[in-house]
Amino acid sequence: MLSWPEQVVRVQSLSESCIRAIPNQYIKPLTERPVFKPGSQVHQHADIPVIDLHNLFNKDPALHLDTLSRISAACRDWGFFQAVNHGVSHELMRRACQVWRDFFNLPLEVKQEYATNTPATYEGYGSRLGVEKGAILDWSDYFFLHYLPVSLRNQSKWPEQPSSCREVIAEYGGEVVKLCRMLLKAMSTDLELEEEYIENAFGGDNMGACLRVNLYPKCPQPELTLGLSSHSDPGGITILLPDRDLARLQVLNNGHWITVNPVPDSLIVIVGDQIQVLSNAIYKSVEHRVMVSSAKDGVSLAMFFNPKSDLVIEPAKEVVSEERPALYEAMTFDRYRLHMRMKGPCGKARLESLKVNTP
Ligand code: OGA
Ligand code: NI
């Protein structure tokens, strides 16, 4: 588990080498390929939830409850929503995106200084998820870093270039953590738990927060592959800053892949597996994947909020009853996420394997 099974190839280098056909190791089986209609416009699915968070903590109970009920419906029916008026500065979002674009535009040798990335922690500059030899790979590179808990934050592992990078990560992280805490409170309240319940279950100040910045290089055969294969996020919630001008993200809803057309300046909130477990499947984690394009590369920032790694997560006693017994086995997050670290993205297979009862 300490090293990659094959030589790691930078997808960005492949993309820049001007190949006309992608290597076989990136060609997905037919059933996993994105349904591609070249040149077709992406239509926003009418019902994709877009939620204005401005009134989440309004003193007026009617306004507060209205926002809470929208969050509730989105987490129950979709496992995700697009948030606007989320409190994170739009200018900071743009700066955060730009420093990472600039980072990925640095010469390969500079980026390779951070390529100490191993499957044990994924920290640093990397290009694959999972360690199975011969696995079909995704068309993306990434940079992975720890933001919380502070004991795991090691700025010397964050890019030193561009010169503002560390500062911008720290500032962006701080704002997104605030948003995350607000959302965890709202979710706890909606689940009729104590306001601090989920945050405390995740370890309070020792909650984990990691940033994965994804680079989706241009791909000469986008219809054959994916930037990120179907998966649900293993942790608690993810706050995703999507690529600004291209609809790449797809979510699975009622058996259909639906393309998310990003609302300008929005952040995407993704419910992860630990919230599905903790809520005993009242909330659902969402299966999602990313398409690539032959015309444009893209960068996205995914901030994952996770339980402290050695905490056991199980369905909250308050949501378990005789009629609705606990659906999932209790497990530490460390053990849970091993699956993603070993096998890479696998839909919702890991969560399914935790099932002890059927609803
Ligand atoms: C992820 C993820 C989506 C995106 O990093 O887990 O789902 O648009 N990213 O990059
Ligand atoms: Ni994801």
Side-chain angles (χ1 to χ4, degrees), residues 43-207:
H43 291 285
Q44 177 86 337
H45 187 279
D47 302 327
I48 284 188
V50 178
I51 305 179
D52 184 335
L53 296 181
H54 178 71
N55 286 320
L56 189 52
F57 291 100
N58 197 303
K59 296 265 182 314
D60 180 339
L63 292 175
H64 166 72
L65 281 176
D66 178 63
T67 314
L68 199 59
S69 74
R70 286 171 200 268
I71 294 175
S72 175
C75 293
R76 289 165 200 247
D77 303 339
W78 287 82
F80 102 107
F81 57 93
Q82 300 198 68
V84 295
N85 279 322
H86 40 61
V88 180
S89 143
H90 298 169
E91 181 267 337
L92 178 59
M93 285 161 59
R94 273 188 279 278
R95 264 196 291 142
C97 245
Q98 192 57 49
V99 285
W100 284 106
R101 286 184 173 279
D102 293 346
F103 170 78
F104 285 112
N105 283 330
L106 291 170
L108 186 63
E109 315 83 79
V110 180
K111 288 178 292 211
Q112 285 294 113
E113 286 169 32
Y114 303 91
T116 47
N117 176 289
T118 78
T121 70
Y122 280 87
E123 252 180 312
Y125 179 48
S127 299
R128 76 180 274 161
L129 297 168
V131 294
E132 301 213 320
K133 199 159 191 258
I136 304 294
L137 302 177
D138 288 337
W139 193 263
S140 52
D141 299 324
Y142 58 82
F143 196 102
F144 191 97
L145 61 86
H146 287 291
Y147 188 79
L148 288 179
V150 174
S151 58
L152 286 183
R153 189 185 301 176
N154 181 351
Q155 296 212 10
S156 70
K157 293 189 177 175
W158 300 5
E160 201 175 3
Q161 282 187 64
S163 60
S164 60
C165 194
R166 291 179 180 168
E167 203 180 305
V168 173
I169 297 167
E171 195 182 344
Y172 179 75
E175 287 206 22
V176 177
V177 168
K178 277 190 230 157
L179 171 61
C180 166
R181 295 211 146 108
M182 197 166 91
L183 291 168
L184 293 182
K185 284 192 175 69
M187 290 175 178
S188 298
T189 306
D190 175 56
L191 292 165
E192 295 178 29
L193 301 168
E194 300 262 338
E195 193 178 62
E196 306 282 335
Y197 188 98
I198 301 179
E199 203 178 322
N200 288 339
F202 284 3
D205 286 340
N206 289 314
M207 176 171 71

Side-chain angles (χ1 to χ4, degrees), residues 212 214 216 228 231 233 240 249 288 290 300 302 304:
R212 186 168 74 216
N214 300 295
Y216 302 109
L228 189 51
H231 67 284
D233 291 346
L240 175 72
L249 180 69
H288 54 287
V290 179
S300 71
F304 302 107

Side-chain angles (χ1 to χ4, degrees), residues 248-323:
R248 296 171 185 276
L249 180 69
Q250 293 190 315
V251 297
L252 192 63
N253 186 253
N254 289 325
H256 298 288
W257 283 108
I258 293 167
T259 304
V260 180
N261 213 1
V263 170
D265 299 322
S266 67
L267 288 167
I268 295 178
V269 178
I270 296 174
V271 175
D273 294 343
Q274 301 306 309
I275 299 268
Q276 178 163 339
V277 170
L278 203 138
S279 72
N280 207 26
I282 296 175
Y283 284 2
K284 313 284 188 311
S285 64
V286 66
E287 205 171 321
H288 54 287
R289 65 184 188 185
V290 179
M291 300 185 292
V292 288
S293 145
S294 57
K296 275 185 177 163
D297 61 6
V299 167
S300 71
L301 275 60
M303 188 96 164
F304 302 107
F305 293 92
N306 300 328
K308 181 175 179 287
S309 59
D310 59 353
L311 289 179
V312 172
I313 300 296
E314 60 189 332
K317 301 279 177 291
E318 292 81 345
V319 296
V320 170
S321 61
E322 218 164 292
E323 304 85 79

Side-chain angles (χ1 to χ4, degrees), residues 218-240:
K218 281 188 222 171
C219 177
Q221 294 177 299
E223 67 284 2
L224 299 184
T225 191
L226 288 166
L228 189 51
S229 291
S230 172
H231 67 284
S232 55
D233 291 346
I237 65 172
T238 305
I239 297 182
L240 175 72

